Amino acid sequence: MHTRRTPAGLTGPILLAFLACLAAPDSIAAKDDAPVSFIFAFPEEQTITYDLGLSEETNWSGMSITTNQNYRIEATLREVNADGAFVIEIACPELKSYRMIDDDMQDWAPPLQLEGKSIIATVGADGELVDIKPGGNIPGMRSPGQLRPYARAVFVPLPAEPKTVGDSWEVVIRRDGNGDDVPADAEETPVYTGTSVYTFKKVQKKNGIDVAFIEIESTVAIDRETEQGRMTGENKGKTKVYLAIEGGWVVESKSESEFKGAMTGDDGAEHEIVLFTWTEMKLRK
């Protein structure tokens, strides 16, 4: 059985057991099973501050490598543009990070150096990312697609139709190596292909906010080139997300995933690889 070391700082990203600790007064019954229309509208004239933790553990060739990143991020609405989309600045004023190789803890900085930098995300009323770009020079950035995981801490794609507690819906995943969507009629072959199934579990309160609790299960096939070689295999993930009923923005989320596959080097040698990732995002009190 795989046992994960708990990173310092945030409680280890994506601890599913957290749900068992929800206090009874923090839950409310779904309001007469009334359908909920999910429409993204980020709060105006306030900065929403989160703690965001990203942790990754790779096991291959008999070695375990764990990296951990803990950010403070601050999201602020810049404007609603002429198309009705929300332009949001996501600042990253603080970062703590480290790496472990087997049991050896080391100082480490992620290749994408976001500390003290910001991301500008434009989001439609459906929660879809219309545009993403850096707020200035970000060392280590090769493509704006690298910024997507950090922007997704604040919003997720929303269903087009109203949903009632118990409803499920499916989202098709087709993305290139930068995490950008690949249209079904495009000639380009996606690097990531699969599906995510969303289930609306209940309505409750989180941090005094009425939220929809949604569980997401994803299965994604991966076939991509990396600096170490060609990486192929399947990734399975689970996410628990709490969406503000009013505004459709993420109040809290936790996710974990497991990738199993192979890394094939230029010399043709193939190595089994197992990759675990955890993410946790919480409002800072």
Side-chain angles (χ1 to χ4, degrees):
M1 178 181 294
H2 173 74
T3 301
R4 181 171 69 89
R5 291 180 290 273
T6 301
L10 291 176
T11 54
I14 319 317
L15 295 177
L16 295 182
F18 173 86
L19 289 177
C21 300
L22 289 175
D26 211 27
S27 296
I28 58 175
K31 299 175 181 178
D32 299 323
D33 292 332
V36 175
S37 295
F38 293 95
I39 300 174
F40 186 81
F42 200 72
E44 299 181 9
E45 300 181 353
Q46 63 175 297
T47 296
I48 298 178
T49 303
Y50 299 97
D51 286 319
L52 172 64
L54 306 171
S55 187
E56 181 177 287
E57 180 178 321
T58 307
N59 297 303
W60 75 311
S61 297
M63 181 170 57
S64 173
I65 302 174
T66 302
T67 60
N68 189 76
Q69 305 170 54
N70 290 330
Y71 291 89
R72 184 176 91 243
I73 63 173
E74 299 173 347
T76 307
L77 177 64
R78 275 191 167 188
E79 64 172 334
V80 179
N81 66 20
D83 296 324
F86 293 79
V87 182
I88 301 164
E89 180 174 10
I90 302 171
C92 303
E94 182 181 314
L95 164 66
K96 296 179 181 179
S97 62
Y98 67 84
R99 176 176 63 187
M100 291 187 67
I101 298 180
D102 292 328
D103 294 325
D104 179 25
M105 182 178 291
Q106 305 174 350
D107 290 334
W108 173 80
L112 186 64
Q113 299 175 34
L114 281 174
E115 186 173 17
K117 306 297 183 179
S118 65
I119 299 166
I120 309 300
T122 302
V123 187
D126 57 0
E128 290 287 356
L129 185 64
V130 177
D131 183 50
I132 188 168
K133 61 185 180 182
N137 177 57
I138 298 179
M141 195 189 83
R142 301 183 305 275
S143 164
Q146 291 174 267
L147 306 175
R148 181 184 292 269
Y150 304 92
R152 279 299 182 202
V154 183
F155 52 85
V156 297
L158 302 174
E161 302 294 332
K163 300 297 180 183
T164 302
V165 170
D167 284 350
S168 294
W169 61 99
E170 185 176 283
V171 174
V172 175
I173 299 170
R174 290 172 52 87
R175 294 178 182 161
D176 63 18
N178 294 320
D180 294 322
D181 291 332
V182 177
D185 57 355
E187 294 183 3
E188 178 183 3
T189 300
V191 169
Y192 305 96
T193 56
T195 58
S196 291
V197 177
Y198 291 62
T199 302
F200 185 4
K201 302 296 288 188
K202 62 181 177 180
V203 174
Q204 64 179 80
K205 280 189 178 291
K206 178 68 67 174
N207 295 317
I209 300 168
D210 288 339
V211 299
F213 171 40
I214 295 173
E215 290 187 339
I216 307 168
E217 295 196 11
S218 302
T219 302
V220 180
I222 300 175
D223 186 348
R224 64 170 303 179
E225 294 292 342
T226 72
E227 294 180 358
Q228 292 76 32
R230 191 173 191 85
M231 184 177 178
T232 56
E234 184 178 75
N235 191 81
K236 292 188 175 183
K238 293 183 178 181
T239 299
K240 298 177 184 291
V241 61
Y242 302 85
L243 287 177
I245 296 293
E246 184 176 348
W249 50 280
V250 175
V251 173
E252 185 172 307
S253 68
K254 305 171 187 202
S255 63
E256 64 178 6
S257 68
E258 179 183 30
F259 170 84
K260 291 184 177 181
M263 185 77 74
T264 305
D266 293 337
D267 59 358
E270 183 176 287
H271 301 274
E272 291 186 0
I273 181 171
V274 179
L275 172 64
F276 300 92
T277 59
W278 300 269
T279 304
E280 180 177 33
M281 194 276 291
K282 299 178 68 173
L283 284 179
R284 173 173 281 205
K285 297 181 181 180

